[in-house]
Amino acid sequence: MVDYLLQNFQAPNPALVQTLISQAQASQQAFEGEYLGQVERFKRWLNSRLH
């Protein structure tokens, strides 16, 4: 892993940075989608228990 980090992060690497940004954005969107889905499932579950 250290070799990878040294090879890719010693000098500016715009392509790698853009790839990492894209991956981070995709991860954030996936996380938010999963979170919102869980919130909705919990709301439905709670609603079914209260009524």
Side-chain angles (χ1 to χ4, degrees):
M1 181 170 170
V2 172
D3 288 336
Y4 174 82
L5 293 173
L6 289 173
Q7 288 172 3
N8 291 290
F9 291 98
Q10 275 187 320
N13 188 337
L16 177 61
V17 171
Q18 188 56 50
T19 297
L20 294 173
I21 289 170
S22 296
Q23 290 174 346
Q25 291 170 334
S27 295
Q28 180 184 13
Q29 290 173 349
F31 175 79
E32 287 175 358
E34 180 63 28
Y35 172 77
L36 292 174
Q38 288 184 18
V39 167
E40 287 303 315
R41 286 190 293 278
F42 177 72
K43 286 162 82 175
R44 285 193 304 271
W45 175 83
L46 187 58
N47 192 40
S48 72
R49 300 295 184 256
L50 295 176
H51 294 110

